[in-house]
């Protein structure tokens, strides 16, 4: 057994577990919209043709009854995650890739180290495609949030110019880049097909779990029932979003030290483990050869995960 490969794989597993924990916590912090609206997926106006969109919708409808969706419909909604990430690969295909990578990682671990390390290599390799998926989803939602204030002001200007709300959304779909152009374009096409605008907006909220977007949808629903100057409301929402992003930047600057401390505290035990393995491998090998060392290693990994969670809760300030 090569003594240098085992700590590398354990370190990679710890990093993957911390990343998965961070992504899960980040995802759980995004609540659900319970406003008065519902919607059906519509058509893409920018680059996808109608045939491409219909094919993609058909594939998603087929994948809605996968085994994972039936076993964990609320805990892990695969179809919605793929839709929010705007991923063109089918969930079953990504699961097949993950399974192949997991088996390859287990086989490689057995060949390079021993059979006891195989579960670690399998879990690490299996999680890589899902980490990519959640990172793609997070980046898309973050970009949407940064574009929302400009979209609100663009719709407000279109309303002042005499256009309808649907026409203002069409302007956003034509003038702004993805992903916000795609989402507003879907709403515009759906209401063209006869779906009520409130329902189209509700499904956009389901596709994009963003609190500022819910404010916009709620204000539109109230204005359509009670009346009022929607352009002024949208201007105020856009101003609030911009100010919130400014405060968020200040919070990031103030919590940078805490976040860096978390990275150092997580990386320090792994780096020290690698250094000791290089300088004195017979001393550090007790961590996986001795039963007490195995228990200590497991306890260290669990405590590192708990510590990373505690640091994240400290520096994660909601704005």
């Amino acid at each position: 057994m090569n003594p240098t490969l085992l700590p590398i794989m354990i370190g990679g597993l710890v990093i993957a577990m911390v990343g998965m924990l961070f992504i899960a916590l980040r995802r759980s912090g995004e609540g659900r919209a319970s406003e008065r609206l519902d919607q059906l997926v519509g058509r893409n106006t920018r680059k996808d043709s109608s045939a491409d969109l219909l094919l993609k919708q058909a594939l998603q409808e087929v994948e809605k009854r996968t085994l994972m969706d039936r076993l964990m419909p609320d805990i892990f909604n695969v179809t919605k995650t793929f839709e929010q990430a705007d991923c063109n690969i089918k969930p079953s295909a990504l699961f097949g890739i993950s399974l192949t990578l997991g088996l390859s990682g287990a086989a490689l671990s057995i060949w390079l180290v021993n059979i006891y390390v195989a579960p670690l290599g399998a879990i690490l390799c299996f999680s890589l495609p899902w980490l990519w998926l959640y990172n793609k989803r997070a980046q898309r939602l973050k970009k949407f949030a940064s574009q929302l204030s400009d979209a609100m002001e663009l719709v407000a200007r279109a309303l002042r110019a005499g256009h309808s709300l649907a026409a203002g959304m069409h302007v956003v779909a034509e003038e702004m880049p993805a992903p916000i152009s795609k989402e507003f374009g879907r709403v515009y096409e759906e209401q063209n097909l006869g779906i009520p605008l409130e329902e189209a907006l509700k499904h956009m909220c389901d596709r994009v779990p963003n609190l500022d977007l819910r404010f916009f949808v709620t204000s539109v629903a109230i204005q359509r029932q009670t009346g009022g100057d929607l352009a002024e409301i949208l201007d105020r929402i856009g101003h609030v979003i911009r100010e919130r992003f400014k405060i968020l930047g200040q919070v990031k600057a103030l919590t940078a030290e805490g976040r860096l401390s978390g990275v150092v505290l997580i990386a320090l035990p792994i780096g020290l483990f690698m250094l000791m393995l290089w300088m004195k491998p017979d001393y550090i090998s007790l961590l996986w050869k001795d039963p007490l060392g195995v228990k200590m290693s497991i306890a260290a990994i669990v405590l590192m995960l708990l510590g990373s969670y505690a640091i994240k809760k400290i520096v994660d300030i909601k704005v």
Side-chain angles (χ1 to χ4, degrees), residues 35-95:
E35 280 33 76
R36 341 171 18 225
L37 321 141
D38 278 311
Q39 174 51 301
L40 185 68
V41 172
R43 254 183 354 182
N44 194 339
T45 60
R46 299 265 323 179
K47 302 199 177 188
D48 295 341
S49 65
S50 300
D52 293 336
L53 185 64
L54 289 174
L55 178 60
K56 185 175 179 180
Q57 284 182 261
L59 292 175
Q60 290 177 347
E61 289 296 328
V62 171
E63 292 298 323
K64 281 182 180 178
R65 297 305 299 166
T66 59
L67 178 61
M68 188 175 296
D69 278 338
R70 280 178 282 180
L71 292 177
M72 299 182 297
D74 296 325
I75 300 175
F76 190 80
N77 194 325
V78 178
T79 305
K80 181 176 288 189
T81 303
F82 273 74
E83 189 175 11
Q84 291 174 351
D86 195 22
C87 187
N88 292 322
I89 187 173
K90 296 200 303 182
S92 58
L94 188 67
F95 183 79

Side-chain angles (χ1 to χ4, degrees), residues 29-278:
E30 302 166 355
R32 297 179 179 174
S34 65
E35 280 33 76
R36 341 171 18 225
L37 321 141
D38 278 311
Q39 174 51 301
L40 185 68
V41 172
R43 254 183 354 182
N44 194 339
T45 60
R46 299 265 323 179
K47 302 199 177 188
D48 295 341
S49 65
S50 300
D52 293 336
L53 185 64
L54 289 174
L55 178 60
K56 185 175 179 180
Q57 284 182 261
L59 292 175
Q60 290 177 347
E61 289 296 328
V62 171
E63 292 298 323
K64 281 182 180 178
R65 297 305 299 166
T66 59
L67 178 61
M68 188 175 296
D69 278 338
R70 280 178 282 180
L71 292 177
M72 299 182 297
D74 296 325
I75 300 175
F76 190 80
N77 194 325
V78 178
T79 305
K80 181 176 288 189
T81 303
F82 273 74
E83 189 175 11
Q84 291 174 351
D86 195 22
C87 187
N88 292 322
I89 187 173
K90 296 200 303 182
S92 58
L94 188 67
F95 183 79
I97 293 173
S98 300
L99 188 60
T100 303
L101 288 176
L103 294 176
S104 301
L108 191 63
S109 302
I110 295 174
W111 179 50
L112 295 177
V113 191
N114 57 38
I115 193 172
Y116 301 105
V117 189
L120 302 179
I123 293 174
L124 176 62
C125 295
F126 182 86
S127 63
L128 291 178
W130 301 99
L131 290 174
W132 166 82
L133 175 67
Y134 276 101
N135 181 69
K136 182 177 175 64
R137 173 184 178 271
Q139 293 298 323
R140 184 173 183 267
L141 296 180
K142 183 178 179 181
K143 188 175 181 181
F144 182 94
S146 65
Q147 295 173 333
L148 190 57
S149 60
D150 294 332
M152 296 294 99
E153 295 178 357
L154 190 57
V155 173
R157 288 196 294 268
L159 291 173
R160 288 194 177 94
H163 297 286
S164 64
L165 179 60
M169 292 186 176
H170 183 59
V171 172
V172 173
E174 290 295 327
E175 299 297 332
M176 294 193 67
I180 200 165
S181 61
K182 182 174 181 179
E183 296 298 336
F184 275 72
R186 286 169 101 171
V187 174
Y188 175 74
E189 293 296 336
E190 288 164 9
Q191 63 89 29
N192 276 348
L193 295 174
I195 298 172
L197 183 60
E198 289 85 355
E199 296 183 4
L201 290 172
K202 173 59 171 70
H203 265 236
M204 182 168 65
C205 277
D206 291 337
R207 294 193 301 268
V208 184
N210 183 280
L211 183 61
D212 298 320
L213 181 63
R214 293 174 201 167
F215 291 153
F216 164 67
V217 172
T218 304
S219 63
V220 170
I222 294 174
Q223 190 273 341
R224 290 174 71 87
Q225 291 184 3
T226 63
D229 189 356
L230 183 59
E232 182 180 356
I233 296 173
L234 296 183
D235 279 335
R236 291 183 180 180
I237 293 176
H239 177 72
V240 170
I241 295 173
R242 288 184 185 277
E243 292 299 318
R244 197 169 67 84
F245 265 89
K246 289 181 183 179
I247 298 175
L248 197 58
Q250 295 175 359
V251 169
K252 278 191 173 182
L254 294 174
T255 58
E257 182 180 357
R259 287 185 281 114
L260 182 59
S261 299
V263 173
V264 171
L265 291 175
I266 294 299
L268 185 61
I270 300 175
L272 183 61
F273 181 82
M274 300 290 185
L275 180 63
M276 292 297 297
L277 183 64
W278 176 65

Side-chain angles (χ1 to χ4, degrees), residues 273-304:
F273 181 82
M274 300 290 185
L275 180 63
M276 292 297 297
L277 183 64
W278 176 65
M279 295 179 61
K280 201 169 181 61
D282 56 337
Y283 176 79
I284 203 70
S285 63
L286 294 175
L287 289 177
W288 63 84
K289 290 182 178 179
D290 189 86
L292 181 60
V294 174
K295 295 178 181 178
M296 292 175 62
S297 300
I298 296 174
I301 294 175
V302 172
L303 291 175
M304 285 176 63

